[in-house]
Amino acid sequence: MMGKKKLNPYLLMILPAFVVFFAFHTFPVIQGVFYSFTNYRGYGDWDFVGFRNYINVFQDARAMDAYIFTFKFAILSTVLVNIISLVIAIGLNAKIKFSKTLRGVYFMPNILSVLIVGFIFNYIFAVFLPSIAQNLGITTLATNILGSPDLAWVGIVIVAVWQAAAFNVILYLAGLATIDQGLYEASNLDGANKWQEFWKITFPLIAPFFTINMVLAMKNFLMVFDHIMALTGGGPGRSTESISLL
């Protein structure tokens, strides 16, 4: 007689995580999508209203401005943070002194509170930079850029990119560590320069890490909230109001 079929041990290992993930992530998402087609206020009775909520959102000028700002901010920040972090990672991966110490220094911004970083940069933009600009005669930076409806978003991009680059640098360093150094030795024998090595060896081999960084950065920047709260609160006016903030 055949014995009872044993449960797959791997299934038993992932089952608790699956239950928790479904209960606290997947189910609320499905529930949120369901209620978006109703007039539910979080309590009491509700009725189906179809696409009325979505139509109202796209007819709301404030919501559309928030969407435009959010996508503009996310796209520019994602491009900048990946370029900057990749350059830093390549520099830190080179044979330089104190490379391990520098890696720790560059990772420091990632462990700092976003609100604290925002308050520090708020002081820099409001007091530090204007005072230096006045002494140097640079009129553009003589005033707080966070108080300008046209330039406030630039300050938020600077702070967000500065802090986000720390995590991206670590991922790129992990990718660079997987490259066989023998490939660079062979390219040197063939007379390839550093630029050719980057495009023919480095970048193709770390392309998966580049994709991961792009996706993670875009996702995080689309959800931007803390930086705006600490720097501008969505102002001046509503010029830096993101979707999350709205």
Side-chain angles (χ1 to χ4, degrees):
M1 187 173 68
M2 295 180 63
K4 291 183 178 180
K5 187 177 181 181
K6 293 183 179 180
L7 284 173
N8 191 323
Y10 297 109
L11 178 62
L12 293 175
M13 283 189 284
I14 68 171
L15 191 59
F18 172 79
V19 172
V20 173
F21 186 84
F22 180 84
F24 293 100
H25 181 274
T26 308
F27 179 72
V29 169
I30 296 173
Q31 194 176 33
V33 173
F34 173 80
Y35 281 125
S36 71
F37 295 100
T38 71
N39 60 359
Y40 186 55
R41 295 171 293 175
Y43 61 91
D45 298 328
W46 51 266
D47 298 305
F48 280 103
V49 296
F51 289 95
R52 185 193 304 170
N53 293 325
Y54 293 94
I55 294 172
N56 290 338
V57 166
F58 286 104
Q59 289 179 342
D60 186 352
R62 183 175 181 180
M64 293 307 297
D65 290 341
Y67 271 109
I68 292 172
F69 166 78
T70 302
F71 279 101
K72 178 176 69 173
F73 167 84
I75 293 171
L76 179 61
S77 298
T78 299
V79 173
L80 288 177
V81 78
N82 277 279
I83 293 174
I84 293 172
S85 58
L86 180 57
V87 171
I88 294 174
I90 291 174
L92 292 175
N93 194 58
K95 296 179 180 179
I96 57 176
K97 292 183 178 180
F98 310 111
S99 61
K100 293 183 179 179
T101 303
L102 288 173
R103 291 180 185 185
V105 171
Y106 275 103
F107 188 70
M108 282 290 291
N110 190 65
I111 65 176
L112 297 175
S113 167
V114 176
L115 288 176
I116 292 176
V117 169
F119 291 141
I120 293 172
F121 272 91
N122 207 329
Y123 175 81
I124 292 174
F125 288 133
V127 179
F128 186 69
L129 282 180
S131 62
I132 294 178
Q134 286 180 353
N135 293 330
L136 296 177
I138 305 175
T139 56
T140 306
L141 298 176
T143 57
N144 184 2
I145 63 173
L146 298 178
S148 169
D150 297 325
L151 297 176
W153 69 276
V154 176
I156 299 174
V157 168
I158 292 172
V159 177
V161 169
W162 175 81
Q163 188 166 34
F167 180 72
N168 288 43
V169 166
I170 296 300
L171 290 182
Y172 279 128
L173 282 171
L176 292 170
T178 64
I179 300 177
D180 184 5
Q181 296 301 309
L183 295 174
Y184 294 111
E185 296 174 1
S187 67
N188 287 331
L189 294 175
D190 291 337
N193 56 39
K194 294 298 181 182
W195 188 249
Q196 290 173 326
E197 284 184 353
F198 174 78
W199 284 113
K200 300 295 184 181
I201 299 175
T202 305
F203 190 76
L205 293 178
I206 65 168
F209 294 86
F210 179 79
T211 303
I212 292 171
N213 271 341
M214 289 288 289
V215 172
L216 289 178
M218 178 64 75
K219 172 250 184 187
N220 291 330
F221 288 134
L222 285 173
M223 296 168 57
V224 63
F225 175 83
D226 293 352
H227 297 91
I228 297 174
M229 281 299 298
L231 291 168
T232 64
R238 296 196 297 266
S239 60
T240 59
E241 190 173 56
S242 68
I243 288 298
S244 297
L245 188 65
L246 176 60

